[in-house]
Amino acid sequence: MAMPLRQSLKVATYLAEQKVRGREKFPLIVELEPLYACNLKCEGCGKIQHPAGVLKQRMPVAQAVGAVLECGAPMVSIAGGEPLMHPQIDEIVRQLVARRKYVFLCTNAVLLRKKMDRFTPSPYFAFAVHIDGLRERHDESVAKEGVFDEAVAAIEEAKRRGFRVTTNSTFFNTDTPQTVIEVLNYLNDDLKVDEMMISPAYAYEKAPDQEHFLGVEQTRELFRKAFAGGNRRRWRLNHSPLFLDFLEGRADFPCTAWAIPNYSLFGWQRPCYLMSDGYVPTYRELVEETDWEKYGRGKDPRCANCMAHCGYEPTAVLATMGSLKESLRAMRETVAGSKG
């Protein structure tokens, strides 16, 4: 994986501390949603289905930062909605970076070039741009022409200014191994983004398009073929080796959604951001009062086809930490990625 060595060491130290403390459930990365409003209507997302009054709300800076500090996660993924629509998003980022949290600001990049001056490059900060295919495919997925070209221009400008830039690509049952290869080759070789995250489209309950989510076997076949021929080793993928094994069907894990909790305008969401079984005001209540055993494939029918990173990447990370062989394997790939 291409995670920077400094970040990898901090995460490894954090995980070791949790083991010493005897904590069974703890956050690895928190998904922070300071707003639900967005400037696009992506077919695979249901965030803008909220009532108009909710879409107008913006989370105060102190509340956003306080939630991150409350749970103690070393990494933060700021999503939404579109975070760049939040009038104080730069202050949220600044305060989290000042506390040495690794912050990924997820964005569709439509506003990125206009807002970029408000941010400062830092090893603790990265823009995470959503790219779900090449031009035609991406613009179709976000239901608006020209978004791909704007995202590419924004990525190039951010790289020129010294920002770390990662990407997040979601793949649907309309994708083929070739379309996966084409977009990841472009991001890796042409745009030269720092690292890439990939995810099979998950059955998000409120998404307008319910017909194109991937099943488990479809996911395994798609990534097994896309990863062939050395692509998996060559691409700067921001995933643990065991999670990539999981996507290929070479390994299987239970869901550990408690390790990537979601905090939004409504509070801490049960059990993850893909499902809404209620909200609680504190992370402690989320962890201690949620019946985690009833969720996951084979337990809850809503989880039947989910292979999303929010449930299974942390399981893979914990399995890596529990195995000397897998830890050495991950270390080798981290060092290789840092040289790439």
Side-chain angles (χ1 to χ4, degrees):
M1 59 183 172
M3 182 186 292
L5 188 57
R6 178 190 297 182
Q7 184 178 341
S8 298
L9 291 174
K10 180 168 183 175
V11 171
T13 301
Y14 170 80
L15 292 174
E17 289 173 351
Q18 308 315 303
K19 186 175 182 178
V20 169
R21 294 177 182 177
R23 296 180 66 186
E24 294 184 357
K25 292 182 174 64
F26 49 85
L28 185 61
I29 180 170
V30 60
E31 293 181 337
L32 177 67
E33 295 181 326
L35 79 172
Y36 286 133
C38 191
N39 47 9
L40 293 177
K41 298 179 180 180
C42 302
E43 296 179 351
C45 175
K47 297 296 182 180
I48 60 171
Q49 304 301 317
H50 288 287
V54 173
L55 295 179
K56 293 179 181 178
Q57 294 181 32
R58 304 291 184 264
M59 186 181 294
V61 173
Q63 182 182 345
V65 175
V68 176
L69 299 181
E70 175 198 352
C71 74
M75 298 181 288
V76 185
S77 174
I78 304 179
E82 170 51 53
L84 291 177
M85 293 176 65
H86 193 296
Q88 295 176 292
I89 189 60
D90 55 322
E91 181 61 17
I92 293 175
V93 169
R94 189 193 67 77
Q95 291 198 24
L96 292 173
V97 167
R99 291 167 171 82
R100 297 190 176 183
K101 301 291 185 181
Y102 283 93
V103 180
F104 297 85
L105 194 156
C106 302
T107 176
N108 57 40
V110 171
L111 296 174
L112 183 51
R113 287 199 288 177
K114 296 179 182 179
K115 306 281 188 175
M116 202 175 297
D117 286 338
R118 296 168 59 180
F119 300 90
T120 303
S122 166
Y124 290 95
F125 175 67
F127 291 114
V129 180
H130 290 264
I131 300 288
D132 290 339
L134 296 181
R135 182 180 291 106
E136 182 178 353
R137 196 170 197 84
H138 180 72
D139 286 354
E140 180 181 5
S141 73
V142 301
K144 186 175 182 179
E145 292 185 3
V147 175
F148 177 84
D149 288 339
E150 178 58 37
V152 167
I155 289 172
E156 292 175 336
E157 177 65 12
K159 292 287 291 179
R160 186 187 69 79
R161 295 193 190 191
F163 288 98
R164 287 187 63 229
V165 180
T166 70
T167 54
N168 186 354
S169 300
T170 303
F171 298 105
F172 297 81
N173 65 12
T174 50
D175 277 294
T176 67
Q178 187 57 36
T179 63
V180 174
I181 291 169
E182 287 173 354
V183 68
L184 294 183
N185 274 346
Y186 178 75
L187 296 173
N188 192 85
D189 302 336
D190 296 291
L191 283 186
K192 293 181 170 54
V193 300
D194 292 280
E195 53 198 23
M196 303 174 292
M197 189 169 74
I198 57 178
S199 182
Y202 27 75
Y204 186 58
E205 293 176 297
K206 294 183 179 180
D209 181 0
Q210 291 287 323
E211 298 180 3
H212 297 118
F213 294 120
L214 285 161
V216 171
E217 291 306 318
Q218 288 177 302
T219 296
R220 289 170 175 168
E221 181 179 6
L222 177 68
F223 288 109
R224 188 162 48 240
K225 292 181 177 179
F227 288 163
N231 285 331
R232 174 175 156 172
R233 293 188 299 275
R234 186 173 62 81
W235 289 330
R236 292 183 295 279
L237 297 173
N238 184 23
H239 295 288
S240 64
L242 278 178
F243 180 72
L244 299 178
D245 289 349
F246 170 75
L247 290 182
E248 289 190 71
R250 296 167 54 191
D252 201 9
F253 303 110
C255 174
T256 50
W258 44 263
I260 306 186
N262 174 273
Y263 184 78
S264 69
L265 295 167
F266 299 140
W268 295 98
Q269 183 171 336
R270 286 178 170 153
C272 65
Y273 80 101
L274 301 178
M275 298 163 61
S276 184
D277 284 359
Y279 298 84
V280 292
T282 68
Y283 176 72
R284 182 173 180 176
E285 288 177 78
L286 175 72
V287 170
E288 295 181 357
E289 299 180 14
T290 302
D291 185 1
W292 299 102
E293 296 303 318
K294 74 178 185 180
Y295 296 106
R297 283 187 285 117
K299 298 178 180 179
D300 188 313
R302 295 172 296 177
C303 304
N305 289 312
C306 180
M307 296 182 72
H309 76 280
C310 64
Y312 297 98
E313 178 78 83
T315 326
V317 170
L318 294 173
T320 298
M321 290 296 294
S323 165
L324 177 60
K325 177 182 177 181
E326 292 299 334
S327 294
L328 292 173
R329 177 190 180 196
M331 188 179 299
R332 286 195 299 271
E333 295 198 18
T334 297
V335 173
S338 67
K339 294 179 179 178

